[in-house]
């Protein structure tokens, strides 16, 4: 009987430990803006009455309509960032955010803006799920070799006004528009594939990768090259639908550099 009770106590302790471990890994901290300042480090700005742990394990959520200009006063590492349904239009600013596999999601119909530079801590998705989303407005997005998926739902726009760089790939999904204002490049060192699987991917500057550029049926790719050019390892698309831009070659092409056309918008149509 004593051994049975000990075994039951042990199993109960293990169950509690596993539960606490799971809770810790799934920790969510919600902004309520109740503090006296806009800083992330102000504990009163969070429902939990303390700022999120700076360890990459916490998902940060923004809700409500109070203190809509949060300032990340130190470089911060989080698991993910979300704007909840009904959240007013927030504008985040300040130091660099390192974000894990949870990525960034806008579940509100209001425009949400993350002006911070963003560093990927894992493969992830930036998603304009319910409303427009701007990421890296005053900085850039460094993929750190991870694949970055950029997703925009129908009638929404995901904007990345700066550069996306690093050795990881980029995948565009969803029926909406992703607008990368400057470029996707890291000198000659990018090796990741760029895939446009739905909607429209627009690049205001240059695309340089030694990987493969793929535009799926029904998707669109646009670029406005201001003297920068387009360089990809190879192109892939519909076998019977060549690109319409005269300065792009059709089908699949090994290591070809494309000349720049100043102030010209070129469109690869639906294939």
């Amino acid at each position: 009987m004593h051994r049975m009770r000990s075994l039951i106590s042990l199993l109960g302790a293990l169950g509690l430990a596993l539960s606490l471990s799971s809770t810790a890994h799934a920790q969510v901290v919600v902004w309520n803006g109740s503090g006296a300042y806009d800083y992330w480090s102000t504990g009163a700005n969070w429902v939990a009455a303390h700022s999120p742990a700076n360890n990459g394990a916490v998902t940060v959520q923004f809700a409500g309509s109070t203190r809509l200009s949060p300032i990340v006063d130190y470089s911060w590492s989080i698991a993910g960032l979300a704007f909840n349904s009904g959240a007013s239009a927030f504008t985040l600013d300040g130091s660099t955010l390192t974000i894990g596999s949870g990525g960034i999601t806008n579940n509100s119909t209001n425009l949400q803006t993350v002006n911070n530079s963003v560093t990927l801590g894992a493969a992830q998705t930036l998603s304009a799920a319910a409303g427009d989303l701007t990421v890296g407005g005053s900085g850039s997005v460094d993929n750190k070799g991870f694949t970055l998926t950029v997703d925009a739902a129908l009638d929404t726009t995901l904007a990345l006004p700066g550069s996306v760089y690093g050795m990881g790939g980029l995948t565009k999904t969803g029926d909406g528009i992703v607008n990368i204002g400057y470029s996707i490049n890291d000198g000659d060192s990018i090796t990741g594939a760029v895939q446009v699987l739905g909607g429209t991917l627009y690049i205001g500057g240059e695309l340089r990768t030694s990987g493969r550029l793929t535009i799926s049926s029904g998707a669109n790719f646009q670029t406005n090259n201001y003297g920068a050019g387009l360089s990809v390892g190879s192109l892939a698309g519909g076998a019977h639908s060549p690109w319409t831009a005269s300065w792009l070659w059709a089908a699949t092409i090994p290591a070809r550099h494309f000349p720049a056309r100043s102030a010209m918008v070129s469109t690869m149509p639906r294939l």
Side-chain angles (χ1 to χ4, degrees), residues 19-222:
S19 176
L20 290 174
S21 175
S22 176
T23 300
H25 286 296
Q27 186 179 358
V28 174
V29 177
V30 182
W31 177 272
N32 62 11
S34 296
Y37 305 98
D38 291 332
Y39 300 122
W40 272 42
S41 61
T42 302
N45 280 327
W46 305 92
V47 171
H50 61 78
S51 56
N54 192 355
N55 61 2
V58 178
T59 295
V60 172
Q61 296 181 357
F62 288 88
S65 57
T66 305
R67 293 201 173 280
L68 299 178
S69 301
I71 297 172
V72 183
D73 41 336
Y74 306 100
S75 294
W76 223 285
S77 179
I78 59 178
L81 190 157
F83 298 93
N84 293 348
S85 176
S88 294
F90 281 86
T91 299
L92 277 60
D93 221 320
S95 300
T96 298
L97 285 170
T98 298
I99 300 180
S101 59
I104 302 176
T105 303
N106 182 16
N107 292 313
S108 169
T109 55
N110 292 310
L111 167 67
Q112 307 297 341
T113 303
V114 180
N115 280 329
N116 314 70
S117 289
V118 171
T119 298
L120 272 60
Q124 63 187 261
T125 299
L126 308 181
S127 176
D132 295 348
L133 175 65
T134 297
V135 176
S138 300
S140 58
V141 176
D142 181 357
N143 65 40
K144 288 295 183 183
F146 296 107
T147 297
L148 174 63
T149 298
V150 286
D151 178 78
L154 184 65
D155 297 328
T156 68
T157 297
L158 169 59
L160 292 84
S163 294
V164 176
Y165 65 96
M167 296 179 68
L170 183 135
T171 300
K172 161 67 176 74
T173 60
D175 293 326
I177 298 170
V178 171
N179 186 337
I180 298 176
Y182 185 58
S183 60
I184 303 176
N185 78 95
D186 189 19
D188 293 323
S189 66
I190 283 185
T191 57
V194 175
Q195 302 180 81
V196 187
L197 304 182
T200 297
L201 175 64
Y202 174 85
I203 302 174
E206 63 182 0
L207 167 61
R208 293 188 181 277
T209 176
S210 60
R212 190 179 186 86
L213 170 61
T214 301
I215 296 88
S216 294
S217 176
N220 291 286
F221 172 80
Q222 297 180 350

